[in-house]
Amino acid sequence: MAMCSRFCPPVPTQFRRRPISCFPISSQSLVSFKCFSVQPSSSTPKDELPARIGFLGLGIMGSPMAQNLIKAGCDVTVWNRTKSKCDPLISLGAKYKSSPEEVAASCDVTFAMLADPESAIEVACGNHGAAGGMSPGKGYVDVSTVDVPTSTLISSRIKSTGALYLEAPVSGSKKPAEDGQLIFLTAGDKSLYETAAPFLDIMGKSRFYLGDVGNGAAMKLVVNMIMGSMMASFSEGLLLSEKVGLDPSILVEVISQGAISSPMYSMKGPSMVQSLYPTAFPLKHQQKDLRLALGLAESVSQPTPIAAAANELYKVAKSRGLSNQDFSAVIEALKVKLEQEK
């Protein structure tokens, strides 16, 4: 990844010493995308990354993200509920603390990648949560996918300590996380965004700054709502082609060369045809994101009938025990319906 050194501010001096004041967040601003910018990812010399970095949550996404920071020469301290998930990173040079609070207290910028709103709140605000270790001059960057009220709640708690807050949910799954090709949808404190930029560039290929807290969360939910609906429709097409005597593998190839071509279809299609669903993005998380997106739509009275129907399909797939399979396994829910109709 090629990169500009201007994205590497001198972290220790300015970032650690300047306290901030809280600013009000209006309900209208939570879904208003007035402030918008994007920067390409780039590479940063190790000697320009002096900050101590914390990373909370080492699942499918968090582990490779933290690993990329370590490989880039960052001073990384990790925590995970299951301590054994920290061991591979410790072997690469990461430090370990036994609670989010201890991680935050020992680091300048702490990243969090949690599975759902409940986990995000608990890790940030619960007993021995990260907020307990925050103070003026520190920063908390939540890269989890949560709803707007959750992000706003965590922001309020972190900022009450005098620390800075940035939401930065990611667009991308396991492979982009491993390759440092994620897309960050950020919102919150602009100075923390600038400080975190070189670290985001290590983990991703681009980053968007969207203004007030809540905008990043909303953008991610809209993106994942579209993705979930696309996968549901793609699943219907694969099964319909097979049922009328066509080769679904040829359908995947045809789609890949047309106007509706999508990397997701090209990547997922071949394995779906074989009824294989290696987990890159768990189905339970896709259904969670659809549920949160529907809640967001309801809050502004926006009809979303296609996403609502897709959500019901993912719920059926979950009831079939497919929660931990890749979200492309939603096609199995349609197979069940077809079998019942025979």
Side-chain angles (χ1 to χ4, degrees):
M1 297 182 286
M3 173 138 119
C4 245
S5 60
R6 73 175 183 273
F7 293 130
C8 309
V11 176
T13 304
Q14 183 178 3
F15 180 59
R16 296 180 189 173
R17 295 181 182 177
R18 186 175 66 179
I20 65 163
S21 59
C22 294
F23 55 89
I25 302 173
S26 66
S27 59
Q28 291 87 351
S29 71
L30 295 179
V31 291
S32 174
F33 297 94
K34 294 180 180 179
C35 186
F36 177 86
S37 64
V38 61
Q39 297 291 349
S41 180
S42 46
S43 62
T44 306
K46 292 182 182 180
D47 59 3
E48 294 188 32
L49 294 171
R52 296 166 298 174
I53 302 301
F55 210 103
L56 310 174
L58 301 173
I60 290 176
M61 298 293 289
S63 183
M65 291 169 71
Q67 184 170 314
N68 284 335
L69 291 173
I70 296 167
K71 288 181 177 179
C74 298
D75 181 349
V76 179
T77 301
V78 298
W79 171 88
N80 192 74
R81 282 195 179 95
T82 305
K83 198 267 183 180
S84 60
K85 291 188 177 181
C86 298
D87 294 339
L89 298 176
I90 294 171
S91 69
L92 293 175
K95 300 170 186 174
Y96 169 77
K97 296 292 183 181
S98 61
S99 71
E101 180 178 20
E102 293 178 43
V103 172
S106 66
C107 294
D108 302 303
V109 180
T110 299
F111 290 87
M113 172 55 92
L114 289 314
D116 51 45
E118 295 76 20
S119 298
I121 292 172
E122 178 64 23
V123 169
C125 309
N127 291 332
H128 304 294
M134 303 301 292
S135 60
K138 293 181 180 293
Y140 191 78
V141 183
D142 196 338
V143 296
S144 315
T145 298
V146 299
D147 55 345
V148 174
T150 295
S151 190
T152 304
L153 174 64
I154 295 173
S155 172
S156 176
R157 179 67 183 92
I158 295 297
K159 291 172 74 67
S160 72
T161 70
L164 309 178
Y165 177 79
L166 186 75
E167 62 177 3
V170 300
S171 181
S173 56
K174 181 180 179 182
K175 189 62 163 59
E178 293 172 344
D179 295 342
Q181 294 291 296
L182 297 170
I183 301 168
F184 288 92
L185 308 173
T186 75
D189 192 280
K190 187 63 178 292
S191 66
L192 179 54
Y193 168 72
E194 293 168 350
T195 296
F199 308 112
L200 300 179
D201 290 341
I202 289 169
M203 297 182 286
K205 65 179 180 180
S206 60
R207 46 185 161 84
F208 292 78
Y209 181 75
L210 302 169
D212 294 336
V213 168
N215 286 346
M219 180 68 85
K220 176 60 190 298
L221 292 179
V222 171
V223 169
N224 277 20
M225 180 188 78
I226 295 170
M227 182 174 72
S229 299
M230 286 174 62
M231 180 56 74
S233 180
F234 183 54
S235 298
E236 289 182 337
L238 289 176
L239 291 177
L240 177 59
S241 68
E242 184 177 19
K243 194 166 187 179
V244 297
L246 300 174
D247 184 344
S249 296
I250 301 299
L251 173 64
V252 174
E253 186 176 350
V254 170
I255 289 175
S256 71
Q257 298 185 36
I260 61 171
S261 172
S262 165
M264 180 178 75
Y265 295 156
S266 297
M267 180 171 59
K268 303 289 187 182
S271 60
M272 292 172 69
V273 170
Q274 301 177 61
S275 299
L276 299 174
Y277 316 105
T279 306
F281 180 45
L283 186 144
K284 62 183 178 183
H285 294 336
Q286 176 62 79
Q287 193 275 318
K288 177 261 297 183
D289 292 348
L290 278 166
R291 172 174 57 81
L292 295 178
L294 292 172
L296 177 65
E298 179 66 23
S299 73
V300 292
S301 300
Q302 171 62 44
T304 49
I306 295 172
N311 183 51
E312 292 303 312
L313 196 60
Y314 283 94
K315 287 163 63 177
V316 171
K318 283 178 63 178
S319 73
R320 293 278 295 172
L322 298 168
S323 290
N324 294 315
Q325 295 287 305
D326 189 75
F327 78 112
S328 55
V330 70
I331 192 173
E332 294 293 329
L334 289 166
K335 290 179 181 180
V336 172
K337 288 187 175 182
L338 291 174
E339 290 170 0
Q340 291 174 343
E341 292 172 1
K342 290 179 180 180

